[in-house]
Amino acid sequence: MPSPRRPLLGLAGLALARAASGADPTAMTETRSAELPGVRLRYRDSGGDGVPLVLLHANTGTSASWAPQFDAFAAAGYRVIAFDRRGWGGSIADPATGPQPGSVAEDLDALVEHLRLPGFHLLGIAGGGFVALDYAAWRQERLRSLIVAASTGAFSEPEMQQLTRNIAFPGFAQLPEPFREISPSFRAIHPERVAAWSHAQEAARQKDAPAQPLRTPNTFAKITGIRLPLLAITAGADLLAPPTLMARWIRHLPQAEVVAIPDAGHSVAMERPEEFNRAVLDFLQRH
């Protein structure tokens, strides 16, 4: 059940107001590059001395997909960091400096070392949620909390794989990505934003870039060792990671708080930024 919400005040309230008003996404900080083992990693960093909050994008995006969140979270006092995964956006693999394709968790850890980050909050959505769980199970001591949204978790458990097959009826994977990723309500009301999302995701992944595997396979046994405060955000109209599916792995983390956002699709952070940001900021303020 969703945990009780507390009212958001001060900077957090201002952040939510900006998100609700559709603040200009171009206000996101410019990208920078870090020379890390195996990759020139492109990232965004709001700077400042706030507690760091690292954002992990979905398989259909880049760090730019966090526009509805980046400035809002920075306005709430956090140092917000988001990066393009190796082979996505502006992050260029460099075989001369390290093995390929590497794992996202290891790239994240290298970026944390590069930026000399203290304990930080980690937020992953969809495919970024796979990595968030992978990293938390490996480097729990570096984290303050964990947030996973709209994600199957990419579990190797037969139960989870069967549920995923049940969802993906024949021909499902061949359907247009906006149909699979975005709710009918959002597509009906915001066709121009759906078109912008489609254009952005088509250019997100570099041609022929190999997928990075998890550092180790995600299993129920693996995540039961995660003792961090944890928030799971589900989306009621998510065709890829519906609430029932997410509940199967969430139950292995008894400390998890759950916030359900109704009538939102897999791209819940883009579709419903006000509710999404409120859930995240409320959780972070308490942890």
Side-chain angles (χ1 to χ4, degrees):
M1 294 293 292
S3 58
R5 298 247 180 92
R6 297 182 182 181
L8 296 176
L9 303 174
L11 287 174
L14 172 62
L16 289 171
R18 292 185 62 189
S21 67
D24 181 3
T26 61
M28 286 183 75
T29 186
E30 294 297 320
T31 59
R32 307 175 186 180
S33 292
E35 301 292 340
L36 305 178
V39 62
R40 177 181 296 168
L41 200 76
R42 190 68 59 87
Y43 69 97
R44 303 170 192 269
D45 184 353
S46 69
D49 57 4
V51 174
L53 168 59
V54 178
L55 312 177
L56 300 174
H57 68 75
N59 292 347
T60 51
T62 66
S63 60
S65 64
W66 288 111
Q69 283 71 49
F70 198 94
D71 292 332
F73 294 160
Y78 296 95
R79 178 183 176 184
V80 186
I81 298 162
F83 66 93
D84 297 348
R85 282 157 42 181
R86 190 184 305 202
W88 268 257
S91 290
I92 308 299
D94 186 355
T97 64
Q100 301 298 325
S103 73
V104 188
E106 289 165 320
D107 287 348
L108 167 58
D109 206 51
L111 181 63
V112 169
E113 290 282 357
H114 175 79
L115 297 176
R116 299 182 179 181
L117 295 184
F120 63 97
H121 301 287
L122 183 61
L123 163 57
I125 189 169
F130 308 169
V131 179
L133 291 167
D134 189 29
Y135 187 83
W138 174 43
R139 292 295 201 200
Q140 185 167 191
E141 73 282 358
R142 292 197 159 184
L143 297 178
R144 289 172 176 258
S145 74
L146 179 65
I147 305 170
V148 179
S151 185
T152 67
F155 285 91
S156 60
E157 306 288 347
E159 173 190 3
M160 297 295 289
Q161 293 178 346
Q162 184 60 55
L163 286 172
T164 300
R165 286 193 293 269
N166 294 348
I167 293 168
F169 54 80
F172 180 79
Q174 286 69 50
L175 293 170
E177 284 191 318
F179 180 90
R180 291 183 282 126
E181 301 268 349
I182 300 175
S183 70
S185 294
F186 191 86
R187 297 199 311 271
I189 298 171
H190 301 290
E192 73 292 342
R193 291 176 64 185
V194 173
W197 180 93
S198 298
H199 178 73
Q201 70 85 17
E202 286 169 2
R205 189 170 180 179
Q206 297 158 20
K207 185 179 180 181
D208 300 324
Q212 290 182 280
L214 296 175
R215 183 178 176 273
T216 61
N218 281 348
T219 64
F220 294 156
K222 172 180 168 178
I223 67 167
T224 55
I226 298 174
R227 306 298 186 200
L228 298 162
L230 189 146
L231 173 65
I233 300 176
T234 67
D238 191 341
L239 296 181
L240 294 167
T244 297
L245 185 149
M246 287 189 63
R248 298 300 182 96
W249 64 259
I250 292 170
R251 66 187 180 187
H252 295 277
L253 294 159
Q255 79 275 26
E257 302 173 34
V258 180
V259 170
I261 299 180
D263 200 24
H266 198 54
S267 297
V268 57
M270 181 271 289
E271 294 183 35
R272 303 286 286 275
E274 182 178 8
E275 294 95 327
F276 186 92
N277 294 0
R278 182 182 301 278
V280 170
L281 290 172
D282 177 58
F283 174 77
L284 294 180
Q285 286 179 339
R286 291 184 285 108
H287 299 288

